[in-house]
């Protein structure tokens, strides 16, 4: 029930709702408000000043000078009347004011003789509090002082609005970060499920290609291999959408046969040509045979663009062409064009067709199929190679997509095709820990080709039993297995059995944090699935010859730190030293809090670490602690938090190692 000892504004319920919207009551001191209070005291030349908010029953002081208490009952305040007004209330001499001359804070208490109060009015018109200047002597403010007091009052409201928006933005950011991490986890799991059978398809196709085939069979196998590689690229791109967004997707620079690649794309796609369409590939006579660049990304771009052209053209022609634009002693500049006589694109749609999940017409997906992801990925892949894609189109008369890419010249040694790696390690005895039957058969066939002897365990527990009874030279370890997974098995081999046997991780996951975790638990190398035989053999040679290949290192982006340092090397060094000293200790405390089932400590530590990780632009680790904080906010400690802490731990170890080397 309302206390009728003080006046109630007509919009009291709405006013209180507006006040509560800011979540300002009973909060800690804030420099911005304290500075505003000091400014009011200085401008008005008074010993008492305050910024206060009035709820149902009290006046609460967010900031004050000369009062010494945090709140007073609403019924004894001067401000209970000020919030009824739309402008400043100024009482030059309280002894002459009928309303206040007998007030206890005039005759005694704070001995108020002068009072000036400005209502704090929200943008939607509710007076939620006041900013006041109070003195023990009579006073009259001049026009400049009154204006200044009103300006400070507006500044206070602006500060409240800003804080509220920042809180909301932070909340939305956490939701977005959790959604991104959930998306990444989902895509990683889907990737694993797709890659596992794809590993078998590509692997057995490679084995088939090594058998005696006639010319037609070889051509078919080549096309199957190219199709498999392109399917793998699509799977990888779905997994790497977040990498593209965060700038972590890289472009390779390896020598490849350009003409052969273009003809492979042509041969792969000509089976899609409709009967009334002519499909042509025109290559410039001056086109180089070998170049250095990213063959897989070029494949992906062209398959997407040409595939679209063939899909949307029912008669006429589709022409893909590559022309030499410029060449230097070190590089070639090549123009790629895909032109068709298909349905075309409306002018007002041309700017949006590169947006994700967007197609030229709403009916396109129903009529022609497709996800609307292709052109978006094409655009970003071309931009990653410091170029841009252009399009010309007219409804009913077709479209042309074109772009220019620069490739480095291949050296004479790179102009020859490298022969497949050969086994010069003798007859190794290898243990494979893998639960997928198709992958078991594939690896057995590959090992037979290498001349190695292979035993198979369907889970980590079986692998451990075999290691107890037989001698092996090497273990190939899948990460996701029943009973004991790859991590648990490796930890047991290293910590309980004390075996130094080389262990190579083989997994359909390809996350940076997971690779770091593999090295942390004691694995010696990492081969992603689907694997290529030369890549696997190279990894085996590396661990067996005890010449460890440089581990895949995290690439640090210190641009934000450098921006903060403003060219001051001492500041930069100090920030790096603080990170190296503090963050590993924070992770240790985080692990301890998890063991103690202390959700509040986990939440606090994760929250405190995030800003440091953001300064060093460790986006994946920052997302990791955001998920840890969000999960801990529920008050429950889940196994998901344990996995994230493990990945965080590995990432921090790697980061600190790199920072120490700087």
């Amino acid at each position: 029930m309302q206390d009728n000892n003080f006046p109630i504004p007509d919009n009291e319920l709405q006013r209180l709702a507006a006040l509560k919207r800011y979540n300002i009551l009973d909060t800690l001191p804030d420099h911005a408000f304290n500075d505003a209070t000091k400014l009011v005291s200085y401008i008005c030349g008074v010993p008492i000043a305050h910024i206060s908010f009035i709820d149902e029953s009290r006046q609460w002081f967010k900031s004050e000078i000369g009062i010494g208490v945090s709140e007073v009952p609403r019924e004894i305040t001067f401000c209970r009347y000020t919030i009824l007004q739309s402008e400043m209330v100024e009482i030059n001499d309280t002894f002459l004011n009928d309303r206040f001359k007998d007030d206890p804070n005039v005759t005694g208490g704070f001995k108020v003789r002068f009072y000036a109060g400005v209502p704090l009015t929200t943008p939607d018109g509710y007076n939620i509090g006041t900013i006041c200047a109070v003195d023990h002597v009579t006073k009259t403010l001049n026009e400049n002082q009154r204006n200044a007091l009103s300006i400070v009052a507006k500044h206070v409201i602006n500060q409240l609005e800003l804080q509220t928006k920042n809180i909301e933005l932070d909340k939305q950011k956490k939701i977005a970060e959790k959604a991104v991490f959930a998306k990444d986890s989902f895509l990683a799991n889907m990737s694993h499920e797709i890659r596992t059978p794809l590993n078998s398809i590509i692997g057995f196709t490679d084995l088939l290609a090594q058998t005696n085939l006639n010319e037609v069979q070889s051509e078919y196998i080549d096309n199957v291999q190219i199709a498999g590689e392109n399917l793998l690229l699509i799977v990888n791109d779905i997994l790497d959408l977040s990498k593209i967004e965060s700038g972590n997707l890289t472009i390779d620079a390896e020598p490849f046969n350009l003409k052969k690649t273009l003809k492979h794309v042509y041969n792969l796609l000509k089976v899609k040509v409709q009967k009334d369409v002519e499909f042509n590939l025109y290559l410039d006579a001056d086109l180089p045979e070998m170049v250095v660049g990213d063959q897989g990304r070029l494949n992906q771009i062209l398959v997407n663009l040409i595939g679209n052209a063939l899909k949307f053209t029912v008669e006429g022609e589709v022409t893909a062409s590559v022309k030499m634009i410029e060449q230097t002693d070190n590089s070639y500049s090549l123009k790629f064009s895909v032109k068709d006589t298909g349905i075309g694109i409306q002018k007002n749609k041309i700017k949006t067709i590169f947006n994700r999940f967007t197609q030229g017409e709403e009916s396109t997906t129903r009529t022609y199929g497709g996800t609307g992801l292709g052109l978006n990925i094409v655009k970003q892949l071309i931009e990653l190679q410091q170029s841009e894609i252009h399009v010309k189109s007219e409804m009913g008369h077709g479209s042309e997509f074109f772009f220019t890419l620069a490739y480095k010249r291949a050296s004479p040694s790179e102009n020859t095709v490298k022969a497949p790696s050969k086994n010069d390690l003798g007859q190794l005895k290898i243990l494979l820990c893998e639960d997928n039957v198709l992958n078991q058969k594939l690896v057995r066939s590959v090992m037979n080709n290498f001349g190695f002897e292979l035993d198979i365990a369907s889970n980590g527990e079986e692998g451990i039993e075999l290691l107890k009874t037989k001698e092996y030279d090497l273990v190939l370890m899948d990460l996701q297995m029943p009973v004991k997974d790859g991590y648990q098995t490796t930890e047991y081999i290293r910590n309980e059995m004390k075996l130094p046997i080389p262990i190579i991780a083989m997994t359909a996951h390809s996350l940076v944090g997971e690779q770091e975790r593999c090295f942390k638990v004691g694995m010696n190398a990492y081969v992603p699935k689907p694997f290529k035989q030369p890549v696997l053999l190279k990894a085996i040679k590396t661990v067996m010859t005890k010449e460890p290949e440089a581990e895949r290192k995290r690439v640090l982006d210190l641009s934000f730190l450098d921006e903060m340092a403003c060219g001051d090397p001492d500041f930069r060094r100090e920030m790096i030293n603080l990170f190296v000293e503090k963050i590993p200790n924070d992770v240790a405390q985080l692990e301890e809090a998890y063991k103690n089932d202390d959700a509040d400590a986990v939440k606090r530590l994760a929250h405190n670490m995030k800003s440091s990780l953001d300064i060093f632009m460790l986006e994946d680790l920052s997302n990791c602690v955001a998920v840890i904080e969000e999960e801990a906010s529920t008050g429950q400690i889940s196994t998901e938090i344990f996995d994230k802490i493990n990945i965080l731990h590995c990432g921090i170890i790697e980061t600190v190692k790199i920072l120490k080397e700087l």
Side-chain angles (χ1 to χ4, degrees):
M1 182 179 291
Q2 295 282 8
D3 187 336
N4 293 324
N5 289 335
F6 50 82
I8 303 296
D10 293 335
N11 59 5
E12 177 72 355
L13 290 178
Q14 295 90 333
R15 188 192 72 80
L16 291 172
L19 172 61
K20 290 176 181 177
R21 184 177 67 217
Y22 290 107
N23 290 314
I24 190 69
L25 295 173
D26 301 307
T27 54
L28 295 172
D30 188 306
H31 290 302
F33 293 102
N34 290 340
D35 289 344
T37 306
K38 291 174 186 175
L39 189 60
V40 169
S41 175
Y42 173 77
I43 290 171
C44 298
V46 295
I48 299 174
H50 64 77
I51 295 169
S52 62
F53 299 95
I54 298 175
D55 66 9
E56 297 92 332
S57 59
R58 60 176 175 154
Q59 178 175 10
W60 178 77
F61 301 105
K62 173 62 180 173
S63 176
E64 54 83 18
I65 293 174
I67 294 177
V69 296
S70 61
E71 61 183 66
V72 294
R74 179 170 171 177
E75 59 266 23
I76 69 168
T77 65
F78 282 38
C79 298
R80 67 188 187 273
Y81 297 103
T82 304
I83 62 171
L84 300 173
Q85 308 301 318
S86 58
E87 296 179 350
M88 185 174 75
V89 173
E90 182 178 356
I91 303 172
N92 309 109
D93 187 348
T94 55
F95 286 177
L96 302 178
N97 185 283
D98 291 336
R99 176 174 284 167
F100 294 110
K101 63 183 180 182
D102 297 322
D103 190 284
N105 277 317
V106 172
T107 58
F110 292 112
K111 297 183 178 179
V112 178
R113 192 74 185 271
F114 166 79
Y115 170 89
V118 179
L120 297 175
T121 307
T122 66
D124 46 357
Y126 299 110
N127 293 341
I128 59 173
T130 59
I131 185 166
C132 299
V134 178
D135 208 337
H136 305 305
V137 296
T138 59
K139 187 181 291 290
T140 299
L141 299 181
N142 60 39
E143 195 62 27
N144 288 335
Q145 289 172 316
R146 293 189 186 96
N147 288 338
L149 206 55
S150 296
I151 290 170
V152 175
K154 290 176 183 176
H155 167 76
V156 169
I157 288 294
N158 290 338
Q159 189 69 25
L160 285 175
E161 285 287 310
L162 182 62
Q163 287 185 359
T164 303
K165 287 174 182 174
N166 285 341
I167 290 170
E168 184 60 30
L169 282 173
D170 189 55
K171 187 186 299 181
Q172 293 301 322
K173 183 182 177 185
K174 286 180 180 178
I175 293 171
E177 286 169 347
K178 188 173 182 182
V180 167
F181 206 92
K183 177 199 73 176
D184 289 346
S185 297
F186 170 77
L187 291 177
N189 289 332
M190 286 303 298
S191 167
H192 182 273
E193 294 303 315
I194 296 171
R195 283 179 186 226
T196 298
L198 190 57
N199 178 54
S200 300
I201 294 169
I202 292 176
F204 282 119
T205 305
D206 286 345
L207 289 172
L208 186 58
Q210 296 170 25
T211 62
N212 293 324
L213 303 171
N214 62 38
E215 188 174 340
V216 174
Q217 289 171 330
S218 293
E219 181 183 351
Y220 288 165
I221 287 296
D222 281 347
N223 288 336
V224 172
Q225 286 177 311
I226 293 293
E229 294 294 339
N230 287 329
L231 178 57
L232 180 59
L233 280 172
I234 291 169
V235 173
N236 287 343
D237 277 330
I238 293 172
L239 176 66
D240 291 340
L241 280 176
S242 58
K243 287 186 180 180
I244 294 176
E245 291 166 355
S246 62
N248 291 329
L249 187 141
T250 57
I251 297 297
D252 292 333
E254 297 290 338
F256 70 94
N257 190 311
L258 178 63
K259 288 183 178 178
K260 187 176 179 181
T261 298
L262 296 170
K263 289 173 183 176
H264 268 312
V265 171
Y266 175 79
N267 289 331
L268 178 67
L269 294 176
K270 67 182 180 182
V271 296
K272 295 184 176 182
V273 179
Q274 301 185 52
K275 63 178 181 178
D276 295 327
V277 176
E278 183 180 347
F279 179 31
N280 300 305
L281 173 65
Y282 294 131
L283 303 182
D284 199 322
D286 297 330
L287 210 62
E289 193 80 20
M290 297 291 295
V291 296
V292 176
D294 197 321
Q295 178 189 15
R297 298 306 176 188
L298 178 61
N299 261 347
Q300 188 178 0
I301 291 167
L302 292 177
V303 165
N304 228 308
L305 293 178
I306 297 173
N308 275 352
L310 292 172
K311 182 166 65 173
F312 297 129
T313 304
V314 294
E315 61 179 1
E317 62 180 341
V318 172
T319 302
S321 62
V322 185
K323 294 181 180 180
M324 174 83 74
I325 301 298
E326 183 184 4
Q327 61 176 309
T328 68
D329 293 339
N330 300 314
S331 65
Y332 304 102
S333 183
L334 309 176
K335 180 181 178 181
F336 297 82
S337 169
V338 177
K339 192 172 184 179
D340 66 67
T341 58
I343 60 175
I345 307 165
Q346 290 183 17
K347 285 186 178 180
N348 64 340
K349 298 287 187 180
I350 288 178
K351 289 184 179 180
T352 63
I353 59 169
F354 293 105
N355 294 344
R356 192 174 297 175
F357 306 117
T358 300
Q359 296 194 333
E361 291 288 340
E362 291 181 3
S363 61
T364 299
T365 299
R366 295 193 300 274
T367 307
Y368 298 97
T371 63
L373 276 175
L375 287 179
N376 176 263
I377 293 174
V378 164
K379 177 176 182 287
Q380 295 191 70
L381 289 176
I382 291 173
E383 289 175 350
L384 279 170
Q385 297 175 77
Q386 285 72 55
S387 186
E388 56 185 26
I389 188 167
H390 304 275
V391 58
K392 297 177 183 176
S393 188
E394 186 178 347
M395 284 297 294
H397 293 83
S399 307
E400 181 184 9
F401 290 82
F402 56 96
F403 57 94
T404 302
L405 292 180
Y407 288 106
K408 292 182 181 178
R409 283 179 179 265
S411 65
S413 62
E414 292 170 331
N415 277 313
T416 56
V417 179
K418 294 180 180 178
S421 299
K422 298 296 182 183
N423 169 28
D424 52 8
L425 297 172
Q427 188 173 10
L428 299 180
K429 191 164 185 179
I430 296 176
L431 172 63
L432 170 68
C433 295
E434 165 71 66
D435 64 313
N436 185 278
V437 176
L438 276 177
N439 285 341
Q440 290 175 358
K441 291 180 178 179
L442 172 62
V443 175
R444 184 180 292 283
S445 299
V446 171
M447 293 300 111
N448 287 340
N449 274 5
F450 291 163
F452 301 151
E453 184 181 340
L454 186 75
D455 282 348
I456 296 174
S458 295
N459 57 62
E461 198 70 65
E462 289 181 14
I464 289 169
E465 291 305 314
L466 285 171
L467 283 169
K468 288 178 179 178
T469 57
K470 294 184 180 181
E471 293 286 333
Y472 294 98
D473 299 300
L474 172 74
V475 178
L476 299 177
M477 185 74 71
D478 183 39
L479 297 184
Q480 291 192 330
M481 295 182 292
V483 187
K484 256 187 171 51
D485 65 25
Y487 297 115
Q488 295 167 330
T489 306
T490 301
E491 286 177 335
Y492 189 90
I493 292 169
R494 295 293 187 238
N495 301 330
E496 302 299 326
M497 301 178 71
K498 308 294 184 186
L499 291 180
I501 185 171
I503 301 175
I504 298 176
M506 296 180 68
T507 179
H509 280 177
S510 63
L511 305 177
V512 174
E514 191 148 38
Q515 294 180 50
E516 292 167 351
R517 188 178 173 191
C518 287
F519 292 122
K520 182 199 170 191
V521 298
M523 299 184 198
N524 305 91
Y526 184 100
V527 175
K529 297 176 186 174
F531 64 84
K532 283 293 187 181
Q533 292 181 47
V535 174
L536 178 57
L537 184 56
K538 182 180 179 183
I540 292 173
K541 284 182 177 182
T542 298
V543 298
M544 292 308 299
T545 54
K546 304 191 185 300
E547 295 176 0
E549 184 181 6
E551 294 176 6
R552 176 174 168 179
K553 283 193 174 181
R554 175 182 293 275
V555 178
L556 294 190
D557 183 354
L558 301 181
S559 57
F560 184 66
L561 176 61
D562 291 337
E563 186 180 327
M564 290 175 62
C566 299
D568 183 350
D570 291 334
F571 176 83
R572 186 180 190 269
R573 192 180 304 111
E574 182 182 355
M575 291 296 289
I576 290 174
N577 288 338
L578 279 171
F579 186 97
V580 169
E581 291 171 8
K582 180 178 182 297
I583 298 301
N585 184 54
D586 287 349
V587 175
Q589 290 183 43
L590 191 64
E591 290 176 329
E592 189 65 28
Y594 174 82
K595 290 176 186 176
N596 294 333
D597 203 26
D598 188 345
D600 289 339
V602 169
K603 177 185 173 185
R604 174 176 49 79
L605 288 163
H607 179 79
N608 291 341
M609 289 176 65
K610 194 173 186 310
S611 58
S612 298
L613 297 174
D614 287 339
I615 289 172
F616 285 79
M617 299 184 73
L618 299 165
E619 186 167 346
D620 60 324
L621 301 183
S622 180
N623 286 341
C624 202
V625 295
V627 172
I628 292 171
E629 180 187 358
E630 189 71 23
E631 289 293 322
S633 297
T634 65
Q636 297 180 343
I637 303 290
S638 66
T639 53
E640 183 182 2
I641 288 182
F642 177 72
D643 289 337
K644 299 300 179 291
I645 291 174
N646 266 330
I647 291 174
L648 177 65
H649 191 164
C650 297
I652 293 299
I653 288 174
E654 179 71 5
T655 302
V656 167
K657 182 180 177 183
I658 296 169
L659 288 174
K660 284 182 175 178
E661 292 171 357
L662 291 178

